[in-house]
């Protein structure tokens, strides 16, 4: 009973809080977005697409926020993604990390998401991140 109540509480608070406990990639529904094929592209095909940004915001909350911070404001354990470069060069760096993650000397700093979530979800997240961009 207690467990069920806790689960309900977590679920109703929303995805952003629940995300903190998740370690497995959470599926993202990208069916509302135009298909872009299986071959990975290097520039965001959804840039400026409001629907993509909306999907990306939720996908980020479920998959990235536990390390990169709620609303992409980093608490310090991973880079603050609001500072990623805008435009094509930022896209290339973003998709590289999204797809392959980051590991050095056998230590995983960031897990890969490419296979689990696919590129539509990746570009949706990037679309939202660009709306959060800051230079400050
Ligand atoms: C387990 C923690 C963790 C999760 C979850 C995570 N990241 Fe990361 N991410 C990191 C760390 C740590 C780095 C820095 C890697 C390094 O120093 O090589 C990083 C780096 C990055 C970078 C490069 C940033 C830069 O300034 O160089 C991008 C882009 C990125 N992550 C995007 C994402 C996205 C999008 C998600 C969700 C789909 C995500 N990350 C999920 C830990 C995480």
């Amino acid at each position: 009973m207690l467990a069920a109540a806790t689960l309900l509480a977590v679920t109703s608070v929303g995805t952003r809080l629940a995300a903190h406990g998740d370690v497995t990639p959470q599926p993202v529904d990208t069916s509302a977005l135009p298909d872009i094929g299986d071959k990975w592209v290097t520039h965001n095909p959804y840039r400026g697409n409001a629907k993509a940004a909306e999907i990306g915001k939720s996908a980020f909350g479920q998959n990235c926020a536990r390390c990169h911070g709620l609303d992409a404001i980093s608490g310090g354990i991973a880079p603050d993604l609001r500072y990623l470069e805008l435009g094509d060069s930022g896209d290339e760096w973003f998709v590289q990390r999204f797809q392959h993650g980051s590991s050095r000397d056998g230590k995983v700093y960031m897990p890969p998401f490419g296979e689990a979530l696919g590129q539509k979800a990746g570009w949706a997240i990037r679309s939202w991140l660009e709306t959060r961009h800051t230079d400050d």
Side-chain angles (χ1 to χ4, degrees):
M1 187 57 205
L2 189 64
T6 311
L7 191 68
L8 201 71
V10 169
T11 316
S12 58
V13 170
T15 50
R16 288 147 98 224
L17 281 182
H20 280 270
D22 291 328
V23 282
T24 41
Q26 299 299 299
V28 179
D29 181 2
T30 54
S31 55
L33 299 177
D35 274 324
I36 46 182
D38 291 334
K39 194 176 180 305
W40 284 79
V41 296
T42 49
H43 300 149
N44 188 0
Y46 304 141
R47 189 180 300 153
N49 178 325
K51 185 71 194 169
E54 183 190 320
I55 291 169
K57 178 178 172 34
S58 144
F60 182 93
Q62 299 201 20
N63 290 289
C64 323
R66 69 174 182 273
C67 294
H68 290 284
L70 295 178
D71 289 328
I73 301 168
S74 173
I77 57 169
D80 194 309
L81 299 181
R82 293 172 300 162
Y83 298 114
L84 270 188
E85 246 181 274
L86 292 170
D88 287 351
S89 54
D91 282 354
E92 284 165 26
W93 184 233
F94 171 86
V95 79
Q96 161 70 24
R97 282 292 185 244
F98 177 81
Q99 206 180 342
H100 304 293
S102 173
S103 40
R104 286 186 296 278
D105 305 325
K107 190 167 185 287
V108 176
Y109 290 87
M110 171 174 156
F113 286 91
E115 260 181 48
L117 299 185
Q119 71 166 334
K120 289 179 78 176
W123 291 121
I125 293 171
R126 169 67 175 158
S127 302
W128 176 69
L129 278 175
E130 281 206 315
T131 72
R132 300 284 300 142
H133 178 82
T134 178
D135 287 318
D136 301 338

